[in-house]
Every structure is written in C-alpha cells, then in structure tokens.
Amino acid sequence: MPTPSMEDYLERIYKLIEEKGYARVSDIAEALEVHPSSVTKMVQKLDKKDYLVYEKYRGLVLTAKGKKVGKRLVYRHELLEDFLKLIGVDKAYIYDDVEGIEHHLSWDAIDRIGDVVQFFQENDERIQLLKEIQRKNEADEIEEM
C-alpha cells in the first residue's frame, strides 16, 4: 500500500490527467503547493513502485496499477466530501476535514460510509429526518446554555 504522501500524489496526478490529459511536475507542484524538486523525488519513488512511468523532461504516465489506485483515492475523497455534506458539515470545513481523515480510515470503513451515503441518497425522506434530528439537537443545545 502507498504511504499517505504517495496517496496524495497519486490522487492529484490521477485528477490532473483526467482533467487535462496530462500531469507535469510543475502542475503537480502547484496543485499540492510543494516544490518541484519534492515532486520529482516522489514521482521517482512512485515509478519504482510501478504506479507510474516517469521519464525526466518527458513527463509521466500512470500504469494500470497507478490508475486503479488513483481512481480509488479520488472516489474516497469525493465520497467523504459527499458524506460530510450529507450530515450537514459546514462547507468551509469539508476540504480540510476530508484531508484530515481520509488516510486514517480503512477501506472497509470507506465502503460502509458509501453504504450510508447511498442509504440517504436513495430516499429524500431519510435526509429530511436527519435534518429534523439535527434541528432538534441544536435547539436542545441552545436551551441547555
């Protein structure tokens, strides 16, 4: 399994390739807010682990393994964003919250969160019931103050 740092790079590389058709070291550095030299070192590590093929000055291409992992990492990130939106987390916190938790959950936990998201999305009444519970709890918290 890739390290959390490797995961961040693979996720970003996968997204860049999906969006632009390619991912250059400079694009990755800008997206992750790191120095190009850091990207080069990580890309070389990912090349050695067969997640991508990197040729200096020519760019990089994800291997089948890299594409599979990258796609799964993007899914995980988007699923966690959907989950946090669904349960009513303020949009201002969602990105940082996802970044903070995504590497600390097992794939089993991710799959169960996917089940919960699907459960709510399949029936709008369930979402409304959740919102009613949240409103009640917020009102109770205000009363206790």
Side-chain angles (χ1 to χ4, degrees):
M1 288 299 295
T3 65
S5 182
M6 287 177 168
E7 287 183 346
D8 287 340
Y9 277 83
L10 285 168
E11 180 182 347
R12 183 58 57 190
I13 291 166
Y14 182 87
K15 283 186 84 164
L16 283 167
I17 291 172
E18 286 293 302
E19 293 165 5
K20 297 170 76 170
Y22 60 90
R24 298 178 310 203
V25 167
S26 59
D27 298 324
I28 301 163
E30 182 180 329
L32 293 174
E33 298 178 354
V34 297
H35 293 286
S37 60
S38 298
V39 174
T40 300
K41 287 177 191 171
M42 180 58 77
V43 164
Q44 289 169 342
K45 286 181 188 177
L46 292 169
D47 187 0
K48 286 180 185 166
K49 300 261 186 195
D50 296 322
Y51 290 108
L52 55 80
V53 176
Y54 173 66
E55 293 181 32
K56 196 172 183 179
Y57 307 117
R58 303 198 107 226
L60 56 95
V61 178
L62 288 171
T63 62
K65 175 182 172 181
K67 285 179 188 173
K68 181 180 178 182
V69 172
K71 184 176 184 176
R72 182 89 164 133
L73 295 171
V74 168
Y75 163 78
R76 176 181 71 187
H77 189 100
E78 290 173 352
L79 174 67
L80 290 172
E81 283 185 357
D82 290 346
F83 177 67
L84 294 179
K85 286 176 194 169
L86 180 80
I87 62 172
V89 174
D90 188 310
K91 288 180 184 175
Y93 302 120
I94 289 178
Y95 181 82
D96 287 340
D97 285 349
V98 169
E99 287 297 311
I101 63 174
E102 67 184 341
H103 301 294
H104 301 286
L105 295 172
S106 68
W107 285 105
D108 186 47
I110 296 296
D111 290 340
R112 299 301 64 82
I113 289 169
D115 296 341
V116 170
V117 169
Q118 181 181 351
F119 175 80
F120 281 98
Q121 288 177 338
E122 285 179 352
N123 186 331
D124 284 341
E125 290 177 22
R126 295 172 183 155
I127 294 171
Q128 294 311 314
L129 288 170
L130 176 62
K131 288 180 180 179
E132 285 176 29
I133 290 169
Q134 290 171 333
R135 281 191 292 273
K136 180 188 177 303
N137 288 341
E138 287 173 5
D140 289 348
E141 287 173 13
I142 291 171
E143 275 183 27
E144 290 176 4
M145 289 182 180

